[in-house]
Amino acid sequence: MNNRKIPYILATLCRPIINKISKLLGLPTIDYLQAQLHQKTEQLEQISAHQKAIYRVISKIRASLDLETIFRTTTKETCRLLGVERVSVYRFSEDWGGQFLGDFEFTEPGWDNCGKLGKNTIWNDSYLQKHQGGRYRHNETFVVEDIYTAGLSQCHAEILEQFQIRAFATAPIFVKQKLWGILAAYQHSRPNNWQISEVKFLTQVSAQLGMALQQAEQLAELEQKAKSLRETGQQQIILLNLISAIRESLDFDTLCQTTIKEVRKTLQCDRVGLFRFDLDSNYCYGEFVAESVLPIYDSALLKKVKDYCFGEKYAIHYQHGSIQVLTDIYNAGLKDCHIQVLEEFQIRAQIIVPLMNGSKLWGLLCIHQCENTREWSKNEIRFVKQLAAQFSIALQNSHLLAQTRSQAEELSQALDALQEANDKLENLARLDSLTQVPNRRYFDEFLDLEWKRLVREKQYLSLIMFDIDHFKLYNDFYGHQAGDQCLVKIAKTAKEIVKRPVDLLARYGGEEFAVILPNTGQSGACVVAEQIKSAINNLGIPHGRTEKQIVTLSLGIATQIPSVYQTPQKLILEADQALYQAKQQGRDYCMHFRTIEKDADY
């Protein structure tokens, strides 16, 4: 007989006797203890499965930035995990009414045509409108096992009956601090005894949906801003290049001074001035902004001129290119008011030519003869007209230059904003928003690149996977906000250990982190893992639900020389198995997956 079977046979034969003795002594029998053990085992297995389901759903939510994918995945997973017949998403409007979003609903077969629910049905609940979200505004859930025994108001029950709803559980969805909507689980066919764990699961999922909505909205805003900035930048660059290619830009002051000096020098006249209109005055006001004049005559510079007749009668003619040539102001048939203005500036003869800025009358080029009359030759008149035309072109160039400089500055600001937006987009895509270390997506990209590089170099690659021991108990005991703070502290501390630029610390998911160590063998990886474990222990983060009374880590290590015949997933699997073995050893433990004969430097 097999010796190992003897204790089992003896225990079987003695069980009735031991049970009788236990009853006489008032102690639990072996059968009772075994039944209790079996029940507890089943409960623990259910809790473990529930937690795995929660992390699976949350991981799927965080793995996507597309809202439709997030909601479809969430409602489907939630519906099946809770064992209900429908999961819907209700979104509030500005007046606290709202509608069910049909595109985001999941319904079990047989109930997809139940009423109108899920077909973008508008459901304006007067209570929610009056109280601006009611209980949901205070982050409360609403759970009803049976609408006929829950004491609901008559109108509320009638609405639920209309959609054949018998039981429901709802949880609010917040985006930042604002109530966005409701995640609702419905049972049509029968009442439902909602478990605390189910309601908690629904609440956790709704919280993750809020975070996903916030992230998606921020991403959409950044993408829209980046698109707008790119379009603006392209337009401004085209404008800048076009103007630079076909226009010769001139400084306005230099343009004015060069013009008046060259005209007076060429025509040998007494004064040349540039008169600019105040455009808001309808050409009735203006002043001389540049002047070249003989010293014996009064300066007209910056003197204000008011001439209502000009604005009413003459401006339109200059607008169309007319010029004025006067040999003697006293023989030109001018009105007395006009002669008074000319006498104020000691003018006896003049040529007045319009200056245009594009299609608008900007001002006048004024050539004055002050001491006596003057017969202006055709060549002189032609010269002045040609010069005025060139000045108008240069004036427009000058204005375009000013605009171009302003646009160039705006372009520079736009490009800076675009770069900032791109940086934010890159960080959003690579960093975990809570811990500010690389996220799962960037971990996958980095590991794939290092794997391919080390395949060529035939060097070691090590991976450390670690997570927080009893983190669910920590969250349950201290709250999720404290749990988030704990994750941040651990990420920050581990980051201080992983110092090499070639290494990467990433949040793998939930409370699990990963460290990629290129060109590092078993001993080097073990050193880093022990340093991380010790550093977290030294933090002394209180954890009253564990034997050690502080937060600890379990770590799994895997080391390989990458091969073209394998994939990085194998390394992840080995590290994960090592982490599992570390947990089996009692946690607060480092476990390496295999023994390596030759080490790379660390």
Side-chain angles (χ1 to χ4, degrees):
M1 179 183 297
N2 192 332
N3 292 335
R4 285 182 290 184
K5 292 184 178 180
I6 294 175
Y8 174 77
I9 295 172
L10 291 175
T12 303
L13 294 173
C14 296
R15 175 175 289 186
I17 299 173
I18 295 173
N19 285 338
K20 288 181 180 180
I21 295 173
S22 298
K23 289 181 179 180
L24 291 174
L25 295 176
L27 299 174
T29 65
I30 292 177
D31 293 338
Y32 175 79
L33 291 174
Q34 284 187 334
Q36 288 292 308
L37 178 61
H38 181 70
Q39 182 179 358
K40 292 294 184 181
T41 301
E42 287 185 343
Q43 290 177 353
L44 290 174
E45 289 176 350
Q46 290 176 354
I47 292 173
S48 176
H50 183 66
Q51 289 302 312
K52 289 180 180 179
I54 290 174
Y55 288 126
R56 184 171 67 251
V57 173
I58 291 175
S59 297
K60 288 182 178 180
I61 292 175
R62 293 179 176 177
S64 176
L65 292 175
D66 178 65
L67 282 182
E68 184 173 349
T69 302
I70 290 172
F71 275 103
R72 285 185 180 276
T73 301
T74 301
T75 53
K76 180 179 179 181
E77 293 286 341
T78 303
C79 190
R80 292 182 174 175
L81 288 171
L82 293 180
V84 295
E85 291 155 345
R86 185 190 300 269
V87 173
S88 300
V89 176
Y90 179 83
R91 181 173 186 175
F92 286 108
S93 57
E94 291 296 328
D95 63 354
W96 294 103
Q99 66 176 4
F100 286 93
L101 305 180
D103 294 337
F104 297 157
E105 181 181 77
F106 183 81
T107 308
E108 289 294 345
W111 297 100
D112 49 348
N113 293 319
C114 177
K116 298 180 181 179
L117 187 62
K119 308 299 182 184
N120 293 331
T121 303
I122 296 176
W123 188 344
N124 294 326
D125 189 310
S126 58
Y127 173 82
L128 293 179
Q129 287 181 294
K130 180 179 179 181
H131 295 86
Q132 298 184 347
R135 71 179 76 232
Y136 301 112
R137 192 175 184 182
H138 304 290
N139 203 18
E140 297 178 9
T141 58
F142 190 18
V143 179
V144 170
E145 296 183 359
D146 189 340
I147 66 170
Y148 299 113
T149 61
L152 302 177
S153 64
Q154 182 66 25
C155 61
H156 196 178
E158 288 176 354
I159 293 176
L160 294 171
E161 285 179 340
Q162 177 184 347
F163 298 108
Q164 302 181 36
I165 296 173
R166 189 67 185 273
F168 63 86
T170 54
I173 301 172
F174 280 87
V175 177
K176 296 182 180 177
Q177 303 299 320
K178 184 178 180 181
L179 178 60
W180 182 90
I182 300 170
L183 180 64
Y186 294 110
Q187 194 73 15
H188 296 290
S189 59
R190 54 180 172 77
N192 191 21
N193 182 20
W194 302 97
Q195 302 297 315
I196 295 176
S197 60
E198 293 175 334
V199 177
K200 184 177 180 181
F201 170 72
L202 193 69
T203 303
Q204 290 175 324
V205 172
S206 67
Q208 292 298 321
L209 277 178
M211 294 173 61
L213 279 165
Q214 178 181 341
Q215 188 178 26
E217 287 180 1
Q218 290 174 342
L219 179 61
E221 290 176 2
L222 289 172
E223 287 178 341
Q224 183 59 39
K225 288 181 180 178
K227 181 181 177 182
S228 178
L229 289 171
R230 282 194 295 268
E231 291 176 352
T232 301
Q234 291 171 355
Q235 293 172 356
Q236 295 302 311
I237 289 172
I238 292 172
L239 177 61
L240 180 61
N241 292 336
L242 181 61
I243 292 174
S244 299
I246 67 175
R247 300 290 186 184
E248 180 182 358
S249 299
L250 298 174
D251 175 76
F252 177 75
D253 291 335
T254 303
L255 170 65
C256 291
Q257 293 301 321
T258 301
T259 301
I260 57 178
K261 288 180 180 179
E262 290 301 319
V263 171
R264 198 174 74 83
K265 178 181 177 182
T266 303
L267 296 180
Q268 295 294 305
C269 56
D270 298 329
R271 182 194 291 120
V272 175
L274 294 177
F275 184 87
R276 181 172 61 190
F277 287 108
D278 181 357
L279 298 181
D280 294 333
S281 70
N282 194 27
Y283 301 109
C284 294
Y285 293 88
E287 64 180 351
F288 285 93
V289 295
E291 179 190 66
S292 177
V293 62
L294 292 175
I296 62 174
Y297 300 108
D298 296 335
S299 173
L301 194 62
L302 299 180
K303 286 187 177 181
K304 303 293 184 181
V305 177
K306 300 178 182 178
D307 191 342
Y308 294 98
C309 293
F310 186 94
E312 294 174 1
K313 296 181 179 181
Y314 304 112
I316 186 65
H317 300 293
Y318 284 99
Q319 182 84 28
H320 289 89
S322 297
I323 67 171
Q324 184 188 68
V325 179
L326 297 179
T327 302
D328 186 350
I329 65 171
Y330 299 113
N331 297 321
L334 302 177
K335 292 183 178 180
D336 291 341
C337 61
H338 195 176
I339 291 175
Q340 288 178 358
V341 172
L342 296 175
E343 287 178 340
E344 180 182 350
F345 296 100
Q346 304 166 290
I347 299 171
R348 185 68 186 268
Q350 67 177 9
I351 300 175
I352 305 296
V353 183
L355 299 174
M356 307 297 294
N357 183 11
S359 61
K360 292 183 179 181
L361 179 61
W362 177 86
L364 304 170
L365 174 60
C366 303
I367 295 92
H368 295 160
Q369 194 69 27
C370 299
E371 184 175 0
N372 47 40
T373 61
R374 178 167 175 171
E375 291 286 343
W376 305 98
S377 68
K378 291 182 180 179
N379 289 336
E380 291 175 333
I381 295 172
R382 186 184 302 113
F383 168 75
V384 173
K385 290 174 65 175
Q386 291 174 342
L387 187 63
Q390 293 300 317
F391 181 89
S392 294
I393 294 173
L395 177 64
Q396 186 174 9
N397 283 345
S398 177
H399 282 232
L400 287 173
L401 174 62
Q403 293 176 2
T404 302
R405 286 173 176 170
S406 176
Q407 290 167 351
E409 183 177 358
E410 292 176 359
L411 173 60
S412 178
Q413 294 174 355
L415 292 175
D416 290 341
L418 176 60
Q419 184 60 46
E420 182 179 356
N422 286 334
D423 292 341
K424 288 181 179 179
L425 283 172
E426 186 174 355
N427 288 335
L428 187 63
R430 290 187 171 190
L431 290 183
D432 175 62
S433 58
L434 176 64
T435 60
Q436 294 301 299
V437 298
N439 57 18
R440 172 67 179 276
R441 176 183 294 180
Y442 186 60
F443 165 85
D444 291 336
E445 295 175 358
F446 187 85
L447 181 59
D448 185 62
L449 289 174
E450 289 302 306
W451 182 275
K452 292 176 180 177
R453 181 177 69 84
L454 294 174
V455 164
R456 296 191 300 270
E457 297 180 4
K458 296 181 173 54
Q459 294 294 318
Y460 287 113
L461 176 63
S462 290
L463 176 64
I464 303 173
M465 304 285 286
F466 67 88
D467 68 3
I468 305 170
D469 296 329
H470 303 294
F471 189 66
K472 180 186 180 303
L473 296 177
Y474 186 96
N475 268 336
D476 292 344
F477 186 73
Y478 295 98
H480 289 283
Q481 187 173 1
D484 287 347
Q485 294 174 354
C486 178
L487 289 170
V488 171
K489 290 179 182 178
I490 287 175
K492 180 180 179 181
T493 302
K495 191 175 180 180
E496 293 174 353
I497 301 299
V498 184
K499 296 179 179 179
R500 293 193 315 177
V502 296
D503 299 337
L504 180 76
L505 168 69
R507 185 178 180 187
Y508 192 76
E511 75 275 21
E512 190 171 1
F513 294 81
V515 180
I516 300 174
L517 301 173
N519 301 98
T520 303
Q522 176 182 354
S523 61
C526 290
V527 169
V528 175
E530 286 293 339
Q531 288 176 344
I532 294 173
K533 185 170 77 72
S534 298
I536 299 306
N537 287 345
N538 292 337
L539 289 178
I541 302 174
H543 193 340
R545 291 299 184 88
T546 63
E547 295 180 0
K548 296 191 176 183
Q549 300 291 304
I550 61 172
V551 170
T552 59
L553 302 181
S554 293
L555 304 93
I557 309 166
T559 301
Q560 287 187 16
I561 295 178
S563 167
V564 293
Y565 304 105
Q566 296 176 337
T567 67
Q569 296 303 317
K570 187 175 188 305
L571 185 65
I572 295 174
L573 178 62
E574 292 177 352
D576 200 55
Q577 290 176 353
L579 175 60
Y580 177 79
Q581 293 176 13
K583 293 287 187 184
Q584 296 298 311
Q585 294 292 332
R587 295 181 170 84
D588 192 19
Y589 195 87
C590 292
M591 174 66 69
H592 200 281
F593 184 82
R594 57 169 58 179
T595 301
I596 302 298
E597 297 179 356
K598 178 183 178 182
D599 253 348
D601 295 331
Y602 183 78

